[in-house]
Amino acid sequence: MVKPEIQQIKQRFEIIGTYPPLLRAIDVAVQVAPTDLSVLITGESGVGKETFPQIIHQFSRRKHGHYIAVNCGAIPKELIESELFGYEEGAFTGAKKKGSIGKFELADGSTIFLDEIGDMPLPVQTKLLRVLQESVVERIGGTKPIPIDIRVICATNKNIEQMVEEGTFREDLYYRLNIIPIELPPLRKRKEDLPALIEYYIAYYNQKLGKNMTGVSKDAMQTLLTYDWPGNVRELKNIIEYLENISEGNEVQLADLPDHIVLRSEKGFEDWS
């Protein structure tokens, strides 16, 4: 039975499913929210890692402050240091006249979420370690440490332990970030949640697109259950949106499913035989 408080959080943050490891991840997020401990969220791309920092922030003492989210993988490597730590006037060619404040300073008194932390370059990892250890940030070209009070939450779809062994991620930083680990399961491991997820997204796109899709046929559902979902919940959401737009009837039929899903599902049946 799902705890009442966990059920409320699921509804508030639109988390669908009752798979025990998923429920435990929610429970851990709520338990550590009142602390300032660093949290490292791991899981494959598309499992919904970005939802858990928001849960932690909303149940923390910092909930009335800013929630700053930074995708480390989306920022060019040559710009990520200035984006995070800011810079002083004249720090480099093209720098603004009065310098620029970084994301860590913006998050002072609040929460900063560093997504795709595995893409952070080694020199920037070194500066991040100092921020975590000393609670100060120093702008590029600056000489004065700036005290900050922040909660750091990170996420990655990479194997950080392997990166540590390969020398592409600092071991001391990994242990500093991984004080509270939260691992989110891939969709293929929680197939029992798939019918509820499909029902949820059908209702979502019915409302958004003005459609009246009623569900999925038995054959189509069996194929969806056999498919391995490499893109996880994000892929499922995209597939339901596709089906809502191309299906001619009110029920999704096997013939409506994209070819790659049918082919990979058939391979799955072969593997079982």
Side-chain angles (χ1 to χ4, degrees):
M1 184 176 178
V2 181
K3 296 179 182 178
E5 60 269 28
I6 300 300
Q7 186 61 40
Q8 291 173 7
I9 291 168
K10 285 178 58 189
Q11 293 174 354
R12 178 176 173 181
F13 292 91
E14 300 181 323
I15 300 174
I16 311 301
T18 57
Y19 184 55
L22 178 65
L23 300 181
R24 283 199 297 272
I26 299 171
D27 198 20
V28 171
V30 174
Q31 287 185 49
V32 302
T35 75
D36 279 335
L37 296 173
S38 299
V39 179
L40 180 62
I41 302 165
T42 57
E44 297 177 8
S45 179
V47 296
K49 296 187 292 296
E50 64 283 349
T51 300
F52 281 74
Q54 296 178 48
I55 294 174
I56 294 169
H57 177 70
Q58 289 300 319
F59 284 86
S60 74
R61 65 180 177 85
R62 304 172 184 271
K63 63 182 179 180
H64 298 299
H66 297 298
Y67 173 76
I68 306 292
V70 181
N71 187 332
C72 300
I75 304 173
K77 289 184 177 180
E78 62 273 15
L79 297 179
I80 190 167
E81 185 176 2
S82 61
E83 185 76 13
L84 291 176
F85 305 107
Y87 57 86
E88 298 290 358
E89 180 178 351
F92 51 82
T93 303
K96 294 179 181 177
K97 262 193 171 184
K98 295 184 179 180
S100 177
I101 189 171
K103 296 292 194 244
F104 281 110
E105 285 184 71
L106 285 173
D108 186 28
S110 305
T111 303
I112 187 165
F113 170 45
L114 302 176
D115 198 7
E116 303 304 341
I117 190 68
D119 291 330
M120 180 176 284
L122 275 169
V124 183
Q125 291 178 30
T126 302
K127 293 194 71 169
L128 173 58
L129 182 62
R130 186 186 180 199
V131 171
L132 294 172
Q133 290 178 333
E134 302 178 20
S135 297
V136 297
V137 63
E138 191 170 305
R139 295 182 184 181
I140 299 173
T143 57
K144 185 176 69 173
I146 302 168
I148 54 172
D149 171 28
I150 57 171
R151 170 74 173 278
V152 177
I153 304 171
C154 298
T156 183
N157 60 9
K158 295 186 175 181
N159 186 332
I160 298 294
E161 290 185 356
Q162 182 179 339
M163 293 180 67
V164 168
E165 291 178 4
E166 295 170 349
T168 56
F169 200 90
R170 290 187 60 124
E171 184 176 19
D172 47 5
L173 177 59
Y174 169 64
Y175 289 124
R176 188 64 183 77
L177 295 175
N178 197 39
I179 294 175
I180 302 294
I182 295 179
E183 183 177 0
L184 300 183
L187 184 53
R188 66 180 173 276
K189 287 190 176 180
R190 57 182 190 109
K191 290 289 186 69
E192 62 263 43
D193 289 340
L194 195 59
L197 282 161
I198 290 171
E199 181 181 358
Y200 173 82
Y201 284 119
I202 284 177
Y204 173 82
Y205 283 113
N206 275 346
Q207 183 176 16
K208 183 176 180 179
L209 303 174
K211 300 284 186 176
N212 190 32
M213 188 72 70
T214 57
V216 178
S217 72
K218 185 176 179 181
D219 288 346
M221 179 62 79
Q222 183 58 56
T223 298
L224 293 171
L225 285 167
T226 309
Y227 181 59
D228 58 0
W229 297 103
N232 294 293
V233 177
R234 184 183 296 132
E235 181 184 11
L236 174 63
K237 181 179 179 181
N238 292 341
I239 290 298
I240 298 301
E241 182 177 19
Y242 163 82
L243 292 170
E244 288 259 9
N245 280 283
I246 65 98
S247 299
E248 295 182 357
N250 288 336
E251 185 180 66
V252 174
Q253 302 298 320
L254 181 60
D256 296 326
L257 300 181
D259 291 342
H260 74 278
I261 287 184
V262 176
L263 290 172
R264 289 184 67 151
S265 297
E266 289 175 350
K267 180 64 168 61
F269 282 125
E270 292 173 6
D271 291 343
W272 290 356
S273 61

